[in-house]
């Protein structure tokens, strides 16, 4: 019994397993890139988007070609495959939530507010819980709509 | 939201549109383009022959037919019936979990993940425009690839109904916001209004006296369906007085 309990406690929180060890801190922290350089939809569209391998290779055809993770990236490129990135954040279908990035960016909500300090992370992990309380709290604080229909339709 | 823009009210607060629809029955040909457009826009699944025979077909908008006279001198009249978004909605007070309510813009809202499926609302609706999802929706391929991502797929066990294309209202507002302008009359078009070849349907803000829908409502031809019930519908039907 005790062993089972210990095992349960020790079990890590299920995190998205990424096919490549992409380091956010190396790109944002060290290389001084912006989140929107790759997640281009974050300020103008509904979805922030995950960049295509073409975007990665724009730089990595020339930069850090010998890095083991970049070598693996290049293998995907050679095979003409996209990298099957795993989604880190997102609402469950049952939540019936319609989220749009653009209006939040216009309201100058920092990416880190909902996504945590990704700039200091290597592989992005989920650090902020997206519960209805998280959303409503911020909406009320910023005098945004707290009508159910603002998100659920 | 930027300050100083948008036609503010006298007290400086933001203008809250009051959505309404006017349907010109003299123009309606009963073609049912609105019915098809609505189902496609709002991911409304077909029930299938067997379920439809049990009265479980879902149509957020339907065309009611009225026959006048005897064959062969028959005259058919059509009336598109959708959720009337009543100001005094019979569906709202019977919901034990407040899954349905009227919001500030006059929309009768149904929140799917709050709904527990008592079906009291559907039973209390005099227009019979609320539908219970008996099963999880299914679409035969490749129809599952054409679903509208802006509209949630309703699971089994909840009630669904016309939203006045709330997602289109939202989209129009966000577009106006991005372009830093006010919502103009005609910016919001529900799928049924957009698809009507006879232009029988008009949608807009009835608190704006210059809007097309206000003019239709004030035209002297308008009436409300089952107005004697006191439900104060937001859908107005226009026809020449008998």
């Amino acid at each position: 019994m005790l062993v089972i309990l210990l095992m349960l406690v020790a079990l890590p929180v299920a995190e998205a397993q990424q096919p490549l060890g992409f380091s956010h801190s190396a790109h944002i922290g060290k290389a001084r890139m912006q989140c929107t350089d790759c997640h281009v939809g974050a300020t103008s569209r509904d979805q922030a988007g995950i960049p295509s391998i073409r975007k990665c290779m724009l730089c990595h055809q020339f930069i850090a070609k010998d890095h083991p993770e970049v070598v693996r990236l290049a293998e995907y490129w050679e095979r003409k495959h996209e990298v099957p990135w795993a989604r880190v954040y997102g609402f469950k279908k049952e939540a019936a939530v319609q989220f749009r990035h653009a209006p939040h960016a216009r309201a100058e909500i920092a990416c880190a507010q909902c996504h945590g300090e990704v700039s200091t992370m290597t592989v992005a992990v989920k650090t902020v819980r997206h519960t209805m309380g998280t959303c409503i709290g911020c909406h009320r604080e910023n005098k945004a709509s707290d009508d159910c229909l603002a998100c659920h339709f | 939201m930027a300050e100083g823009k948008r036609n503010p009210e006298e007290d400086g607060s933001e203008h809250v549109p009051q959505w309404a629809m006017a349907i010109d029955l003299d123009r309606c040909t009963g073609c049912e383009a609105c019915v098809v457009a609505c189902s496609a826009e709002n991911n409304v699944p077909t029930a299938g022959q067997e379920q439809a025979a049990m009265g479980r077909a879902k149509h957020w908008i339907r065309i009611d037919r009225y026959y006048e006279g005897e064959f062969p001198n028959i005259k058919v009249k059509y009336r598109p019936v959708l959720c009337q978004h009543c100001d005094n909605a019979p569906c709202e007070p019977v919901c034990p979990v407040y899954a349905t309510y009227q919001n500030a813009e006059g929309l009768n809202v149904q929140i799917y993940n709050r709904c527990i499926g008592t079906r009291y609302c559907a039973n209390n609706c005099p227009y019979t425009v609320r539908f219970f999802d008996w099963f999880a929706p299914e679409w035969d391929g490749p129809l599952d690839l054409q679903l509208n991502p802006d509209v949630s797929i309703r699971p089994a066990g909840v009630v669904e109904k016309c939203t006045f294309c709330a997602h289109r209202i939202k989209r129009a507002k966000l577009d106006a916001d991005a372009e830093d302008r006010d919502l103009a009359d005609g910016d919001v078009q529900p799928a049924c209004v957009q698809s009507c070849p006879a232009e029988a349907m008009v949608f807009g803000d009835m608190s704006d006296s210059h809007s097309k829908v206000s003019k239709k409502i004030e035209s002297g031809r308008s009436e409300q369906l089952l107005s004697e019930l006191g439900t104060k519908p937001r859908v107005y039907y226009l026809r020449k007085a008998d």
Side-chain angles (χ1 to χ4, degrees):
Chain A
M1 189 65 188
L2 189 68
V3 178
I4 295 170
L5 267 176
L6 277 174
M7 273 172 70
L8 280 174
V9 173
L11 272 178
V13 183
E15 280 169 9
Q17 294 294 315
Q18 301 293 354
L20 291 180
F22 175 86
S23 166
H24 278 84
S25 63
H27 290 81
I28 308 172
K30 251 162 81 185
R32 300 257 159 241
M33 287 171 69
Q34 299 292 317
C35 307
T36 48
D37 288 341
C38 298
H39 302 287
V40 288
T43 53
S44 57
R45 295 183 208 153
D46 294 351
Q47 296 186 324
I50 290 173
S52 157
I53 192 167
R54 280 175 289 180
K55 183 145 251 168
C56 309
M57 294 307 286
L58 271 180
C59 296
H60 283 299
Q61 279 186 5
F62 311 104
I63 300 171
K65 277 162 48 180
D66 303 329
H67 190 288
E69 294 299 326
V70 177
V71 170
R72 289 177 61 206
L73 174 77
E75 286 169 12
Y76 279 101
W77 177 248
E78 290 298 324
R79 292 202 303 269
K80 293 188 166 42
H81 282 188
E82 285 288 353
V83 184
W85 299 111
R87 194 168 182 164
V88 179
Y89 284 96
F91 293 104
K92 282 183 190 154
K93 216 170 89 180
E94 303 85 66
V97 167
Q98 298 282 341
F99 178 83
R100 317 270 184 246
H101 271 90
H104 293 87
R106 275 202 297 280
E108 293 171 356
I109 306 294
C111 304
Q113 184 138 358
C114 304
H115 296 289
E117 288 298 336
V118 179
S119 60
T120 59
M121 296 175 196
T122 48
V123 174
V125 287
K126 195 169 182 172
T127 55
V128 182
R129 288 184 69 214
H130 288 182
T131 62
M132 200 164 95
T134 321
C135 300
I136 285 275
C138 191
H139 266 231
R140 287 189 178 148
E141 211 170 282
N142 290 291
K143 295 197 171 62
S145 172
D146 61 356
D147 185 5
C148 307
L149 193 68
C151 311
H152 297 286
F153 50 87
Chain B
M1 208 164 278
E3 285 174 29
K5 65 181 187 103
R6 268 172 244 256
N7 43 348
E9 302 292 348
E10 279 173 16
D11 61 356
S13 61
E14 199 184 328
H15 173 68
V16 179
Q18 296 300 315
W19 303 112
M21 185 182 282
I23 304 175
D24 196 330
L25 298 180
D26 295 334
R27 280 177 176 239
C28 177
T29 62
C31 73
E32 303 219 16
C34 51
V35 178
V36 176
C38 174
S39 294
E41 176 75 15
N42 292 298
N43 304 332
V44 182
T46 48
Q49 203 172 358
E50 198 180 302
Q51 293 296 315
M54 297 166 81
R56 293 175 180 177
K58 275 178 274 188
H59 296 288
W60 287 11
I61 182 170
R62 66 171 188 266
I63 307 282
D64 277 358
R65 290 168 295 184
Y66 300 89
Y67 300 101
E68 284 176 9
E70 289 293 318
F71 183 80
N73 300 314
I74 277 187
K75 195 173 179 191
V76 190
K77 286 187 173 172
Y78 303 102
R79 185 194 291 270
V81 181
L82 61 160
C83 172
Q84 306 283 309
H85 294 267
C86 310
D87 280 357
N88 190 12
C91 54
E92 289 166 11
V94 294
C95 179
V97 292
Y98 304 105
T100 183
Y101 67 96
Q102 192 186 34
N103 79 354
E105 300 181 0
L107 301 174
N108 177 267
V109 180
Q110 177 75 18
I111 303 299
Y112 308 123
N113 44 0
R114 181 159 261 219
C115 179
I116 56 168
T118 64
R119 290 172 279 147
Y120 294 165
C121 59
N123 289 335
N124 218 30
C125 174
Y127 307 101
T128 58
V129 289
R130 288 176 158 268
F131 303 93
F132 184 67
D133 292 310
W134 292 91
F135 302 101
E138 282 175 17
W139 285 270
D140 295 332
L143 291 174
D144 55 332
L145 302 175
Q146 54 92 51
L147 298 176
N148 185 352
D150 284 354
V151 178
S152 305
I153 310 285
R154 282 79 56 187
V158 304
V159 167
E160 60 178 61
K161 60 158 205 93
C162 159
T163 62
F164 261 176
C165 279
H167 58 289
R168 288 190 175 210
I169 297 175
K170 183 89 179 168
R171 176 73 63 201
K173 278 189 200 161
L174 293 180
D175 285 351
D177 224 14
E179 292 163 22
D180 203 25
R181 60 174 172 81
D182 292 333
L183 260 186
D185 188 29
D187 273 358
V188 184
Q189 269 200 328
C192 53
V193 174
Q194 189 183 18
S195 66
C196 183
E199 295 182 14
M201 305 167 107
V202 172
F203 184 80
D205 177 6
M206 71 174 190
S207 68
D208 170 10
S209 58
H210 300 293
S211 70
K212 224 171 148 185
V213 73
S214 292
K215 286 178 180 161
K216 294 259 186 196
I217 293 169
E218 299 301 325
S219 67
R221 291 203 297 140
S222 71
E223 59 175 24
Q224 287 160 308
L225 190 56
L226 302 182
S227 59
E228 66 274 18
L229 298 178
T231 50
K232 299 181 186 164
R234 287 283 179 116
V235 177
Y236 292 81
Y237 291 95
L238 274 62
R239 67 188 178 112
K240 201 170 81 181
D242 290 326

